[in-house]
Amino acid sequence: MRYEFEAVPLVRPAPHIAAAVAAWAASAPVCALVRSFAATPADRRLAEDLSLGRGDLAERLARLDRFSDIWDARRGLERNQATVLGLAPAQRRLAHAAAEALGMRDAARPRFHSYDHLLVLGGSVRGCLARTAYAAHLAQSGQVGVGRVTALGGHRPFVGDEHRSATAAGVPQLSDEYAALTHGTSTAFGLTDPHTEDGDATPSADRWAIRRYRTADSLPVDVVAAVSGAPAERRANTADTFAFFVDRLAEPRPGTRLLLVTSPINVPAQHASAVGVLGRPFGAVVDTVGTPPEFVPPALARRFGATEYLMEIRSTIRSLRRLLLADQSPRRAPRGAGQQ
């Protein structure tokens, strides 16, 4: 069976976030996935309720979140340590088609010609090298004008096959995300030594670090290791890096344009997180693009399978659920509001 779905838009900061989240959850690829993996009458009711928009939206998202546990191949580990899900051929084809429709296989172009901030999101050694290369290309080729570049990551030691990946990419000296993000940023933007360093570069979830640079044409470039929001339990996640950006570097204002660079597979989940932390509270404009494959080091090129796509669809569900909960809470007042 061949699956074809219409493209599902990303959820953007808007007065009607709940409606956009509801539309995503009711989209044909999401409902098709639930129907394909449904194992109980309750699962089949969930697919019907999502499709019809029946019942309370927050409850539907909570049920969808619980259902998506069957796609959690990580079980608390890093993505590159996940097991491979046992899927039928039709489920694998469906996962790829759904990923295509949900914007996880396409390197979309930026909407605007200029942005106040270009945010490069850290991750695996592959991501740290490819995303920084693409960000530098966008800024240096004139495709977009940017006021400032910030590479956002955390203190996370490499695990699994990342040491082999670093060696294959010709950078065997790298052993953690912050070092890889610093190397990728410095190489891509032609940076030398930072003009200031703050925090602690020692890998630890309860520590933060900022290296500040300027390019030859005076573009400010920061490389950040954000502190974890729960350092005793986990490393810093994407939302933690966004919160650190707001608290330590630059609080957005209404109309501030933010361009995020990540990998295509991560676009929907990380975009939803950015809307919740950076867009909605401040009235900022958030765009998220994936890195084209030509910017991935050849030694690290790979094709994602159905398991990876299902894991990231699960991540998107969880990000949208957090966004919906945040949308139902009071908005944060901009810094300085009410002061004379």
Side-chain angles (χ1 to χ4, degrees):
M1 181 177 180
R2 183 178 179 181
Y3 299 94
E4 292 185 357
F5 303 108
E6 292 185 1
V8 179
L10 296 176
V11 174
R12 300 193 181 278
H16 307 295
I17 283 178
V21 172
W24 189 95
S27 66
V30 173
C31 293
L33 285 170
V34 175
R35 284 192 294 269
S36 177
F37 286 85
T40 68
D43 294 342
R44 290 186 282 275
R45 284 195 299 272
L46 171 60
E48 186 175 346
D49 290 344
L50 290 171
S51 179
L52 297 175
R54 186 165 58 198
D56 178 73
L57 175 59
E59 176 58 24
R60 292 202 304 276
L61 264 291
R63 291 164 60 195
L64 182 58
D65 187 356
R66 292 192 295 270
F67 175 85
S68 72
D69 186 62
I70 61 174
W71 303 328
D72 182 11
R74 295 173 60 179
R75 300 299 170 183
L77 300 175
E78 295 296 334
R79 288 173 173 82
N80 65 317
Q81 296 177 299
T83 58
V84 177
L85 297 173
L87 305 173
Q91 290 175 324
R92 289 197 295 271
R93 291 194 297 271
L94 173 58
H96 281 271
E100 181 80 33
L102 295 171
M104 301 170 69
R105 302 181 68 184
D106 179 28
R109 295 178 62 84
R111 281 193 299 164
F112 303 109
H113 293 299
S114 65
Y115 291 86
D116 299 289
H117 294 274
L118 174 58
L119 306 182
V120 192
L121 307 189
S124 67
V125 61
R126 179 188 300 103
C128 290
L129 300 181
R131 297 170 188 178
T132 51
Y134 182 48
H137 170 75
L138 288 174
Q140 295 172 349
S141 68
Q143 289 192 38
V144 296
V146 296
R148 190 178 200 95
V149 176
T150 306
L152 290 171
H155 285 313
R156 182 189 61 80
F158 286 168
V159 295
D161 63 353
E162 286 187 278
H163 294 284
R164 292 195 301 274
S165 294
T167 298
V171 284
Q173 74 277 15
L174 303 179
S175 60
D176 65 90
E177 180 181 334
Y178 186 49
L181 198 57
T182 299
H183 175 84
T185 305
S186 299
T187 301
F189 285 90
L191 307 174
T192 54
D193 294 331
H195 62 80
T196 62
E197 294 188 63
D198 298 317
D200 191 337
T202 305
S204 178
D206 62 352
R207 298 175 182 176
W208 60 270
I210 304 174
R211 293 185 174 119
R212 301 180 186 275
Y213 303 83
R214 283 191 178 273
T215 65
D217 56 358
S218 298
L219 175 66
V221 179
D222 297 338
V223 184
V224 173
V227 66
S228 169
E233 302 172 13
R234 57 171 175 77
R235 62 169 174 81
N237 59 25
T238 302
D240 291 330
T241 68
F242 295 153
F244 188 90
F245 174 79
V246 169
D247 292 338
R248 296 273 185 168
L249 296 172
E251 182 176 287
R253 300 290 182 180
T256 296
R257 288 182 181 177
L258 307 172
L259 177 62
L260 280 61
V261 174
T262 184
S263 301
I265 191 171
N266 304 119
V267 164
Q270 293 183 331
H271 177 80
S273 180
V275 170
V277 181
L278 302 173
R280 173 199 162 275
F282 305 102
V285 177
V286 178
D287 283 344
T288 308
V289 296
T291 299
E294 59 265 30
F295 291 91
V296 178
L300 303 184
R302 60 168 295 188
R303 296 181 65 180
F304 290 109
T307 292
E308 287 91 349
Y309 286 124
L310 291 171
M311 287 194 301
E312 293 311 310
I313 290 171
R314 169 175 162 77
S315 294
T316 306
I317 292 166
R318 308 192 87 190
S319 290
L320 289 173
R321 188 181 177 197
R322 288 189 291 268
L323 173 59
L324 182 65
L325 292 173
D327 191 52
Q328 296 170 343
S329 64
R331 281 170 167 72
R332 173 174 174 171
R335 187 174 296 160
Q339 298 180 1
Q340 299 298 320

